[in-house]
Amino acid sequence: MTSWTPQPAGLQEILQTIHDSTDTRNTQVQRNITHKLNNFTRAPDYIAYLAYILACLPQEDDSIRTIAGYLLKNNAHLIIRASPDVLAFVKSSVLLAFNDQSPMIRNAAGQDIVAFLGILEPKNWPECLQQLVHNLDLPDQEQQEAAFNVLEKACEDYPRKLDVDINGTMPLEYMIPKFLVLSEHPSSKMRSHAIACLSYFVPINCNSLIAHIDTFIACLFKRASDEDPAVRRHVCQALVLLLASRPEKLMPEMANVAEYMLYSTKDKNENVALEACEFWLTFAEDPELAPYLHPLLSKVAPVLLDCMVYGEDDLLWLEGDAEDAAVPDKETDIKPRHYGGKSHGFEHEATNGADAKGRVGAYGEELEEDDDEGFDDLDDDEFADEMSTEWNLRKCAAAALDVLAVRFGADLLNVLLEPLKTKLWSEEWLQRESGILALGAMAEGCIDAVEPHLPTLVPYLINMLNDPKPLVRSITCWTLGRYASWCTQPISDDHKNQFFVPTLEGLLRMVLDNNKRVQEAGCSAFATLEEDAGPELSPFLEPVLRNLVFAFDKYQHKNMLILYDAVGTLADAVGTALQNPTYVDILMPPLTKRWSKLRDDDEDLVPLLECLASVTIAMGPAFLPYAGPIFDRCSSIVHSSLLQYQAYQQNPEMDEPDRSFLVVALDLLSGLTQGLGMALEPSISQAQPNILSLLTVCLKHPQAPVRQSAYALVGDMAMNCFPLLRPYMPNIMQELTAQLDPEPKVEFVSACNNAAWSVGEVALRYGRDDAEFQQWVNPLISRLIPILLHPKAPRSLHENAAVSIGRIGLMHPSMVAPLLPEFAQAWCQALYEIRDNEEKDSAFRGLCTLVQTNPAGIAKSLLWFCNAIVRWNQPSPELNSMFQQLLNGFKQHDAAGWAAQIATFPPVIQERLATRYGV
C-alpha cells in the first residue's frame, strides 16, 4: 500500500454519514446528509477515505462499502487535484477491491475503475489496463467476466483514450487479437463482451483494428447465428457501425449481410431486432449508399412495415384504452421546455419561410426545429411519450421508412402500396394503426406519389378518427397533420368542402377527446393545420375558438401547454382577423383567468406569456382593454428577474435564476408594442421602475437570450412607439454598438442579429440627416461593414447588417457614400436572394441613394448590383423608378462603355435589364 492513512475522526464521520444515509424515510435527514456529503468534497483526501471504506473495511456490511464505492464514482473528478499519496492510495485500493470476494464490492469497484481510467487516461494508469487484460485469462469465470465488463464500458465510453502509445507499445495491438480469440469463448457472456469491445473501435478508424478488419468481419459472420441473443445483438451493432464508417468493407458481401439483417430485423428478441433495424436507418441516411440500397427496397420496406405494429409490451405500458381526461397528470409526465426568444431573420426565395414549431412526432419524439432528419441524433429525453420514452423497434422502423421515403419517393410507394392497403383495411386494429403510422412516416418523401391517392386516403383517415381505440385515433391525428398542407391548399371550393373542412372538424373533435393521448395528438396536429391553412381559417374562427376555449376547462396540466401553443399558432395564422370583438370576447376571458391563477414563478407562465405575445400582435387595438394589467405584470417580472440575477452575481453559491421568465416577459412586451403602439404610452409612463431604464439593463445582461429579446424590443419600440423610446436612445446606442461583432460566439449570434436589425429600425425613425443620430453613424458603420465582409459571419448576420447599412445610408447618404466601394459587392451578395419585403425595399432605396451620391463607388460591383436589381419580383414604384433612373444614368454617361460592360453579363441578366428597364 502507500503512505496515506486515514485519520480516525474523519473516517468515523464519513462512515456515520453513510450509515445514516440508509434511513430513506426521513427527508430532513436525507437533506442534511446531502449537504454533509457536498461539504466533504472540500476535504483534499475525501476520495481516499471512500476508497479505504470500500477496500479495507471487511468488517463493515457490504452495502455500506458499496455506497462508499458509488460515492467514489460520483466524485471521481476529484482525482485530478489529488496529492500523489492520495492518488496512489485510491488507484491501488480500487484494484484491491476489484478482486474482493463479494460480487457487490467487485461491481462497485468496477464502476470506479471505468470512471478513473477515463479521467486519468490509460497512459497514466497502465497497471490497471494490464490487470484487466490479465484477468481475462484467470481460471475463475466470474473474475473473467467482471474484467471484461469493465473493459467493455471503457471501450464504449472512451475508445480513443485506449488507442495510444504507452511506454513504446500500443496496448490495442495485443488487446484486439485477444478479443478476436475470445469471441470463440465457450461462455456467451465472454463472446458478447468480445464482439462489443471490438465494435467500439470501428467508428474511430483505429489502426490496430483495421489491421485485423477482415478477421473481424469473418468473426462477425461466424457469430451471426450464435444461440445467445446478446451476442447476436452485438453482431448487428458491429455491422451497423461498419456500414456507417467502413461501408466499402461490407459491399462485396452485401447480399449476405442484407439477408442476415432482414432475418435479424424479424428476430423474436426485440433488442436484436432493434439493432438490426438501425442498420436500415443508417443505410438510408447515407446518400452515397443509395445505389446499393435501391435493389433491396422490395425486401426491406415490407419488413419495416411489419416492425411498426405495437408489441405486447408496448400495449401493457401504454394503457391506451382509458378515458382519462379527468385524471390529473403526474408531474414526472411533463418534460422541461426550453424557451428561446425572438430572433430576427429573413425568408429566402428557395424556402417557404414557415418554420414549424415543436410538435409531437409519430415515433414519439418532440420534433424540434430542423429535426425532420437525423432521428438517431435525438436524445431519449427529447421523446414525448407517443409510445414510450424509449427508442424502440416501432420508432426505429418508422424513422427508417421516413428516410427511405425521402430517398426513393415513388419507388418506395410502389413497393408498399399493396401491403399498406392490406394493413389500412385490416379488421385487426393493431394492423390498421401501424398502416396509418406508415402512411404518416412516408408523407414528406412520397407526397408526389401519394397525392393521387389522397382523395381516397384523407376521407379514410377522417373516418378513422371515430375508431373506438384511442391509439388509432391518436396516430390518425398525427398522420392527418402530416398531410395538412395538401388538405389546406386553396384549389377549389370542392376541395375545401371535401377535405379541408372535414379535417378541421375532425381534428377539433379530437382536441376535446376523452383520452389525454388523443387530445395531445389532436391539438398538435391542429396546430400544424393552422400553420398550413393561415388566413384560410378566418371564416371558421368562431367554432375553432369555442372548441379551444372549451379545452381550457377540460385539459390537465401537460396538454394545457400544447393548447397554449395551438392558440398562439392560431393567432399567428389568422392575424388581424382575430380583432373581431366576438372573437376577443370568446378568447380573452379564459386566457386572463389562467393568467390570474398562475404565480410569477410558475413555469406554466412561460408558455402562456408566449401564447399571449402572439394573441396581442394579432388582436392589435382590440387587446387594449386587457393590456394594462398584462403590461404591469411583465414589467414586474422583468424587474424581479433582474434583482434575482443581481443577487446571484453577488453570491455565486446561489443557483442561477431561470432566465425564461425574463426572456418571455420581454417578448410579450414586444408583442404589446407591436399590437398597441402609442396606445401603450399611459402604461409606459406610469410604470415604476421605468421599463425603458430596465430595458437598458437587459441590454447588458450576461445571458445572450436576454440580450436577444431586449434588442428585439428596442426594434419593435422603434417601429411602433418611437417617441417613447427616443429619450433613452443615447444609453441604448452605446450598448447596441458594442453588441455588433463580426464573429460572435455561436450562442451570441441571435442577440447580434437582433442588435444589427434594430439599428436600422432606429435610423429610419430618426429621419433624414437627423443631427442627434449623426454622432452614431460612423461608430455603427465601422462595426457593420466588417460584419458584412467577414467570411465566417453567419448568413443571417450578413443580411441584417446589409439591411441596416442600407437604411442608415438612406438617412445619412453623405456620411456613408464615400465607403460604398468597400462594401457594395458584399452588400448585393448578401441581399439578392431575400424575398421582397418592406425591409429589403428600404435597404435598396438606401443603396440607390448611396449610388446617386457616389456613382463611382459602384463601378467595380456593377454586375452584382444589376443581378440584385433583376432578382426583384415586385419592387415598390418608388424603388423601381430609382433603379430606372440609375440604369439610364449609367447608359447616358458612357453608352459605349455601358454596352461593352453589359455584354460580359450572364444572358439572363442582360435579358431582364432590357425587358424591364430598356437598357
Side-chain angles (χ1 to χ4, degrees), residues 372-441:
D372 288 346
E373 62 242 358
F375 290 93
D376 55 332
D377 292 335
L378 291 165
D379 293 330
D380 274 349
D381 61 357
E382 282 178 1
F383 296 125
D385 61 354
E386 162 73 26
M387 278 121 245
S388 80
T389 49
E390 294 300 314
W391 182 241
N392 58 20
L393 180 60
R394 167 186 165 90
K395 290 181 196 171
C396 185
L401 202 61
D402 188 342
V403 184
L404 284 174
V406 172
R407 191 76 64 231
F408 299 115
D411 290 351
L412 176 70
L413 186 68
N414 291 340
V415 166
L416 283 184
L417 205 52
E418 287 311 311
L420 200 53
K421 276 183 186 167
T422 308
K423 285 201 186 284
L424 291 173
W425 274 272
S426 164
E427 293 295 310
E428 280 281 311
W429 76 268
L430 284 169
Q431 295 295 325
R432 277 201 311 281
E433 193 278 344
S434 68
I436 295 167
L437 167 59
L439 194 59

Side-chain angles (χ1 to χ4, degrees), residues 89 96 379 463 716:
F89 181 80
L96 181 70
D379 293 330
N463 186 42
D716 286 329

Side-chain angles (χ1 to χ4, degrees), residues 30 77 92 104 180 255 276 298 503 708:
Q30 289 300 317
H77 60 280
S92 58
M104 264 172 91
L180 285 165
S298 59
T503 302
Q708 175 186 331

